[in-house]
Amino acid sequence: MLDSEFAFITRLERHFPHKHPLLLRGIGDDCALVTWPEKVLISTDLFLEDVHFRRSYFSPEQIGHKALAVNLSDIAAMGGTALGFSLGIMAPRSDSLSLEYWDGIMAGMARLASRFNVPLIGGDCSRGPCLGLSITVWGESERPLLRGQCSPGDAIFVCGPEGAAGLPLGLARSGFLALEELGLASLEIYPQATAAHLQPEPMLAAATVLASNAGVRSLMDLSDGLATDLPRLLGAEIAPHEGKRLTHGAALRMALEDLHPEVLELSSRLGRDPLREALLGGEDYCLLGVCESGAVEKLADNVPGFACIGEVTAEQELRCNGQELLSYAGPGFDHFRERGQA
Ligand code: ADP
Ligand code: MG
């Protein structure tokens, strides 16, 4: 049980032992002292119990992993490299998590941090209504890949984990639906979908290769679903169902056999349209981007998990296999809409 903030921070520090050349002073002083690049990428994401994860089917290691992974994914989405992060912890007031549980959260986070050589520089702790983690991550990119840089004729691509059995679209949503319906039994039935929801892999390595190719023009990570995120990538200030005109359109082409077999299987079990799941499904944390059409071949050869899914058009309409995107999908996930996730 947590009974002393000082003892807790000391325990936490043991999980993050690694020194980093940019970290001049870490945990233990009023502020951290870090060497800062000339242009910095900065992003913050909250990770809250029963909003973003459930304790009933996430292991503590997966909670720690995913809280950091979704932040690192934003750095990848800019074609960047992560340089450091800070961590806010809210410990639930109502019940006391065991120290072993906290160790699990820290171990899962520390493992991912050390894989990408990102130091934890400090943070804060407080009691609160639920278990929650807030992370701010920063990084740098030689060529930050912004949204909204595209022209008609450019290719639209996704880039997911290496060696996946199909497009990563809708996979995490399928995992979420399976876990909600079947609980931990779904780990065996839908191993890749549940892993996509429980333990997403930030696409940092692929992002570096994409940023180094001059043909890649725009990049983002898919957190709210393709139907919502695609217009953002193409330069609409907000999604079209929220009332803004598109600056460009898209013609997507996706056959059912391109989708992940677990998305197909779960959709058939639940009586849902798998293409709709792929277009609507959020939290895939794969990369979505636009490149010049001439760059596709080289990227497909050099970037594992790269797949072209369509092209940018001048029509200011979003279509998939000829049909209007919103007629399949409706709006994607929105925390402030009452029923964002269908
Ligand atoms: P202060 O009262 O000055 O905010 P704290 O007592 O909250 O300091 O924290 C002491 C030290 O421990 C600081 O260096 C802070 O960055 C670090 N720290 C506190 N909470 C965390 C955390 N969740 N993760 C990493 N470092 C933390
Ligand atoms: Mg503090």
Coordinates of all heavy atoms in Angstrom, one line a residue, residues 5 9 12 26-30 87-89 120-125, ligand 1:
E5 N 4.9 9.4 0.2 CA 5.2 9.9 -1.2 C 6.7 9.7 -1.4 O 7.1 9.3 -2.5 CB 4.8 11.4 -1.2 CG 4.7 11.9 -2.6 CD 4.2 13.3 -2.7 OE1 3.3 13.7 -1.9 OE2 4.7 14.1 -3.6
I9 N 8.3 7.6 -4.5 CA 9.1 8.1 -5.5 C 10.5 7.4 -5.6 O 11.0 7.1 -6.7 CB 9.3 9.7 -5.4 CG1 8.0 10.4 -5.6 CG2 10.3 10.3 -6.3 CD1 7.9 11.8 -5.2
L12 N 9.8 4.2 -7.3 CA 9.6 4.5 -8.8 C 10.9 4.7 -9.5 O 11.2 4.2 -10.6 CB 8.7 5.7 -8.8 CG 8.3 6.4 -10.2 CD1 6.9 7.0 -10.0 CD2 9.3 7.3 -10.7
G26 N 17.8 15.0 -12.9 CA 16.5 14.3 -13.1 C 15.7 14.4 -11.8 O 15.7 15.4 -11.1
I27 N 15.1 13.3 -11.4 CA 14.3 13.2 -10.2 C 15.0 13.6 -9.0 O 16.2 13.2 -8.8 CB 13.7 11.8 -10.1 CG1 12.8 11.5 -11.3 CG2 13.0 11.6 -8.8 CD1 12.3 10.0 -11.4
G28 N 14.4 14.4 -8.2 CA 15.1 14.8 -6.9 C 15.3 16.2 -6.6 O 15.5 16.7 -5.5
D29 N 15.1 17.1 -7.7 CA 15.3 18.5 -7.4 C 13.9 19.1 -7.7 O 13.0 18.5 -8.1 CB 16.4 19.1 -8.3 CG 17.1 20.2 -7.6 OD1 16.5 21.0 -7.0 OD2 18.4 20.2 -7.7
D30 N 13.8 20.5 -7.6 CA 12.6 21.2 -7.8 C 12.1 21.0 -9.3 O 11.0 20.9 -9.6 CB 12.7 22.6 -7.4 CG 13.0 22.8 -6.0 OD1 12.2 22.3 -5.2 OD2 14.1 23.4 -5.6
L87 N 6.0 12.5 -15.8 CA 4.9 11.6 -15.5 C 4.1 12.1 -14.3 O 4.6 12.2 -13.2 CB 5.5 10.2 -15.1 CG 4.6 9.1 -14.5 CD1 3.5 8.7 -15.5 CD2 5.4 7.9 -14.1
G88 N 2.8 12.4 -14.5 CA 1.9 12.7 -13.4 C 1.1 11.4 -13.0 O 0.6 10.7 -13.9
I89 N 1.1 11.1 -11.7 CA 0.4 9.9 -11.3 C -0.8 10.3 -10.4 O -0.6 11.0 -9.4 CB 1.3 9.0 -10.5 CG1 2.4 8.5 -11.4 CG2 0.6 7.9 -9.8 CD1 3.4 7.6 -10.7
L120 N 12.9 9.2 -18.0 CA 11.9 9.9 -17.2 C 12.6 11.0 -16.4 O 13.6 10.7 -15.7 CB 11.3 8.9 -16.2 CG 10.3 9.4 -15.2 CD1 9.1 10.1 -15.8 CD2 9.9 8.4 -14.2
I121 N 12.2 12.2 -16.5 CA 12.9 13.3 -16.0 C 12.3 13.9 -14.7 O 12.9 14.6 -13.9 CB 13.1 14.5 -17.0 CG1 11.7 15.1 -17.4 CG2 13.8 14.0 -18.2 CD1 11.3 16.2 -16.6
G122 N 11.0 13.4 -14.4 CA 10.4 13.9 -13.1 C 8.9 13.8 -13.3 O 8.4 13.2 -14.2
G123 N 8.2 14.4 -12.3 CA 6.7 14.3 -12.4 C 6.1 14.7 -11.1 O 6.6 15.5 -10.3
D124 N 4.9 14.2 -10.9 CA 4.1 14.6 -9.6 C 3.2 13.4 -9.3 O 2.8 12.6 -10.2 CB 3.4 15.9 -9.9 CG 3.0 16.5 -8.5 OD1 3.6 16.3 -7.5 OD2 2.0 17.3 -8.5
C125 N 2.8 13.4 -8.0 CA 1.9 12.3 -7.5 C 0.8 13.0 -6.7 O 1.1 13.9 -5.9 CB 2.6 11.3 -6.6 SG 4.1 10.6 -7.3
Ligands
ADP1 P1 7.6 19.3 -5.4 O1 6.9 19.4 -4.1 O2 8.8 20.3 -5.6 O3 6.7 19.4 -6.6 P2 7.7 16.5 -5.2 O4 7.8 16.2 -3.8 O5 6.4 16.5 -5.9 O6 8.4 17.9 -5.5 O7 8.7 15.6 -6.1 C1 10.0 15.4 -5.7 C2 10.8 14.9 -6.9 O8 10.3 13.7 -7.3 C3 10.8 15.9 -8.0 O9 12.1 15.9 -8.7 C4 9.8 15.3 -9.0 O10 10.0 15.6 -10.3 C5 9.9 13.8 -8.7 N1 8.6 13.1 -8.9 C6 7.5 13.3 -8.2 N2 6.5 12.5 -8.7 C7 7.1 11.9 -9.8 C8 6.5 11.0 -10.7 N3 5.3 10.6 -10.8 N4 7.4 10.5 -11.7 C9 8.7 10.9 -11.7 N5 9.2 11.8 -10.9 C10 8.4 12.2 -9.9

